[in-house]
Amino acid sequence: MPTLRKKVNLLRGLLTGDKARTGPIYVFVDVTRRCNLRCLGCRYHSPQVRILSPGDQSVKDMPFDLFLSLCDDLRALDTDGIILIGEGEPFLHPRIFDMISAAGSAVRRVTAISNGTLLDHDTVGALVGSRLDVLMVSLWASSPEEYKMNCPGTDAAYFDRVVQGLRSLSDRKRKTGQRRPRLVLHHALNRHNYENVERTAELALKTGCDALSLAPLHSLRGGLAAAALTDEERASLVRRLTDLKRRMRSWPLEHNIDSILLKYRIGEDVRKRYPCYIGWIHARVKVDGTVLPCNPCQLAMGNLARASFREIWLGEAFRSFRRQTLTREGLKALGESCDCGYCCHVPNNKLIHRYFRLFSPVVRALAHAHRSGEAA
């Protein structure tokens, strides 16, 4: 959680309209483009859709020196969290555990997002007691049959491998008395799995996970329309999720059902509801060092090969992006540059928007009174 000082500085920056007074709260870092799966919903390796991110596609793994330099900048900017992810599977990076250690020395919270297929005995042993705070495993299935539909061409035995990996990790934590990393089972809901969301929650519980994370399938501008829910299916899912939330009150399992219900209420066209505050709290650093405001945005803010993260974060490209996204008209003008459907940052945007509207008149009045006093 960001400190009170960081929250105040965030609000101060918002009042200027473009100048960040604090560093990002959290930063996603793509450490590799290599992957051992071809998941249906992946924007990079899906057999149905492939979207190229900005930057040099020939760079497959983030250089370790580049990552260390990034960590130094994020430490200086008082960033709270680093999320290690990939345009592929982060545990394929040859120095992933060195990255976890470096990130743990730079920020308060380190998360890794993985497909879970590499949670073998050695990896589990290295993770327990490491600097990794959270491991989110993206499974998208509650059975081998669902797994094959969401990962076409993949051996269904991989499902059992992931489940066994989760159990091994939770068992090792319990036997060693370690609490890290917290285990989160992630599940993107679509036509192939939504009818068994209750079974997914039970799987998270049985494998010793600490939390269940749910998300709507991002249709990637209609490229995955065949897997997206119809209005009737979505309404049915909302009812199931509401019932599941009641069932889970007594479970020792955290969840984000309120968040996903919010996303379904808003729908894919989130630009009509809230401005975007992502440029104030977050950045995504790609494998080659290209810095984006967020992953579905194709607007590069700079590259770490030519400028430090601090220079990019405080630079004109980011400031221009912040000015534009503070209004719905500005968001609309972004056009195809940003694919905001079912934005994963909606809960944060809603929260910031509420407090910004509540406190900004007071802060502006105090600032005006202070300037008037100085003039007198």
Side-chain angles (χ1 to χ4, degrees):
M1 290 292 291
T3 62
L4 177 60
R5 178 182 178 184
K6 197 170 186 69
K7 292 176 182 177
V8 170
N9 284 334
L10 170 62
L11 180 59
R12 288 179 61 214
L14 281 165
L15 292 171
T16 70
D18 62 7
K19 186 177 181 180
R21 305 269 180 185
T22 185
I25 295 174
Y26 58 107
V27 173
F28 277 72
V29 184
D30 284 282
V31 298
T32 185
R33 287 193 168 100
R34 295 182 293 126
C35 197
N36 58 344
L37 296 182
R38 298 292 179 266
C39 298
L40 180 69
C42 178
R43 61 193 298 115
Y44 307 110
H45 300 285
S46 171
Q48 296 186 16
V49 179
R50 184 162 185 252
I51 298 173
L52 293 179
S53 60
D56 184 354
Q57 298 296 312
S58 69
V59 182
K60 300 305 179 185
D61 294 319
M62 176 175 281
F64 186 60
D65 288 346
L66 181 67
F67 184 78
L68 289 179
S69 176
L70 172 62
C71 286
D72 288 342
D73 268 354
L74 296 181
R75 181 190 296 110
L77 288 168
D78 194 29
T79 296
D80 278 68
I82 290 176
I83 296 90
L84 302 172
I85 194 170
E87 291 189 15
E89 167 53 43
F91 284 93
L92 285 173
H93 195 290
R95 302 198 65 177
I96 185 61
F97 287 102
D98 292 328
M99 289 177 158
I100 290 171
S101 179
S105 298
V107 299
R108 299 177 185 90
R109 184 181 177 92
V110 183
T111 299
I113 301 177
S114 168
N115 62 32
T117 59
L118 301 178
L119 292 178
D120 57 19
H121 180 270
D122 291 341
T123 300
V124 166
L127 283 173
V128 174
S130 72
R131 303 296 294 269
L132 187 67
D133 296 288
V134 179
L135 176 64
M136 178 179 284
V137 174
S138 185
L139 185 58
W140 291 40
S142 62
S143 68
E145 293 74 25
E146 286 179 7
Y147 193 77
K148 286 190 69 174
M149 287 188 287
N150 280 296
C151 299
T154 301
D155 188 339
Y158 271 52
F159 174 83
D160 294 324
R161 182 188 299 184
V162 176
V163 170
Q164 182 56 44
L166 290 170
R167 286 185 172 135
S168 296
L169 186 50
S170 59
D171 287 346
R172 183 75 67 90
K173 286 168 55 184
R174 185 182 67 255
K175 290 175 181 177
T176 58
Q178 298 284 345
R179 302 183 66 181
R180 296 189 305 187
R182 294 183 74 252
L183 274 174
V184 180
L185 184 65
H186 181 66
H187 193 72
L189 292 159
N190 57 64
R191 186 168 291 170
H192 302 312
N193 61 26
Y194 82 99
E195 293 182 300
N196 292 314
V197 64
E198 299 89 351
R199 198 162 66 184
T200 298
E202 292 166 0
L203 180 63
L205 189 64
K206 291 175 181 177
T207 53
C209 290
D210 300 285
L212 172 68
S213 168
L214 300 171
L217 174 76
H218 192 180
S219 68
L220 302 181
R221 300 193 188 279
L224 299 177
L229 300 179
T230 65
D231 290 344
E232 182 178 341
E233 289 168 338
R234 188 163 52 249
S236 172
L237 175 59
V238 166
R239 292 192 293 270
R240 301 175 81 110
L241 288 171
T242 304
D243 290 341
L244 179 59
K245 179 184 172 182
R246 284 194 288 265
R247 280 184 58 197
M248 293 180 68
R249 284 174 183 168
S250 61
W251 295 15
L253 188 69
E254 296 178 15
H255 61 78
N256 69 337
I257 292 178
D258 284 336
S259 173
I260 191 172
L261 290 175
L262 170 67
K263 293 175 185 178
Y264 279 131
R265 283 198 301 271
I266 292 174
E268 285 212 70
D269 197 357
V270 298
R271 298 184 189 186
K272 292 181 179 179
R273 293 294 298 272
Y274 302 109
C276 177
Y277 299 98
I278 199 63
W280 302 91
I281 64 173
H282 168 272
R284 179 103 175 208
V285 182
K286 306 302 290 185
V287 177
D288 71 319
T290 299
V291 179
L292 308 176
C294 69
N295 202 43
C297 183
Q298 297 289 302
L299 300 172
M301 301 290 101
N303 190 288
L304 297 179
R306 295 183 286 277
S308 70
F309 182 86
R310 180 184 180 87
E311 290 170 330
I312 294 170
W313 179 252
L314 300 176
E316 179 54 36
F318 246 123
R319 293 183 68 169
S320 176
F321 179 82
R322 294 183 188 115
R323 287 193 297 270
Q324 184 165 357
T325 54
L326 275 180
T327 66
R328 293 182 181 86
E329 294 76 16
L331 278 173
K332 184 178 180 180
L334 289 174
E336 297 295 309
S337 298
C338 296
D339 184 4
C340 301
Y342 283 133
C343 175
C344 61
H345 304 292
V346 162
N348 284 333
N349 276 335
K350 181 185 178 183
L351 183 64
I352 295 171
H353 189 60
R354 182 174 70 185
Y355 283 103
F356 180 46
R357 289 194 304 173
L358 179 64
F359 290 110
S360 60
V362 176
V363 175
R364 286 195 174 102
L366 290 173
H368 177 73
H370 179 71
R371 288 194 298 269
S372 298
E374 287 182 339

